[in-house]
Amino acid sequence: MLTASYNSQPVQAADAPTNGAFHCLVCGDPVTLKRGVVRIAHFAHAAGHACEFTSGETEEHRRAKLGIFQGLLADPRASNVRLEHYLETCRPDVYFEREGTRVAIEVQRSDI
C-alpha cells in the first residue's frame, strides 16, 4: 500500500517521515514503512497478516497506480486527487474530481 495513517492523517510512503508510527487505513493495525532501491516506497503489514487492503498487490500494481496519480496531479482539470482514497464501500487505487464529477480508478493487471 502506498498510503497509511500517521497522526490520524493519510500520508504517502514517499512523503512519510522515516521514524513514525503508521497504521493501515482499513484495518488500523500497525504497518512498516519500506524504502529501498529496488521497489518504490510503500507500507507493509507484518508477515502473515491478512488485510483486504493489500491483497494481491504487486510492485507492478503499485507503480501503475502511482503513475496515474502523479499524472492527475499534473493535470489542472483534475481536483481533489487522492491515492488509495477510502470511500464508504470501496477503496479505489486513485480518486479525483473533474468538473463536479467524482471518478474512481481501480488498476488491474490481467493476461486476458
Side-chain angles (χ1 to χ4, degrees):
M1 78 186 84
L2 301 178
T3 309
S5 176
Y6 174 69
N7 291 336
S8 300
Q9 296 294 319
V11 64
Q12 291 181 32
D15 301 327
T18 56
N19 57 349
F22 307 106
H23 294 88
C24 176
L25 291 170
V26 173
C27 71
D29 285 350
V31 292
T32 303
L33 175 63
K34 304 276 189 168
R35 282 198 183 130
V37 294
V38 176
R39 297 181 179 176
I40 61 173
H42 65 282
F43 296 99
H45 285 92
H49 185 278
C51 176
E52 66 181 80
F53 197 173
T54 57
S55 175
E57 191 167 272
T58 64
E59 178 67 9
E60 188 176 34
H61 181 100
R62 286 191 292 264
R63 287 187 186 279
K65 66 184 176 182
L66 185 59
I68 293 167
F69 171 75
Q70 290 171 334
L72 286 167
L73 283 176
D75 187 338
R77 298 168 296 175
S79 63
N80 199 20
V81 181
R82 306 283 179 97
L83 185 61
E84 301 171 337
H85 181 60
Y86 191 72
L87 301 173
E88 291 176 17
T89 59
C90 64
R91 181 207 37 90
D93 291 320
V94 182
Y95 170 88
F96 70 100
E97 297 170 9
R98 181 174 175 188
E99 298 175 1
T101 300
R102 298 170 25 165
V103 180
I105 298 173
E106 181 63 31
V107 174
Q108 181 179 2
R109 184 195 177 279
S110 176
D111 291 333
I112 59 172

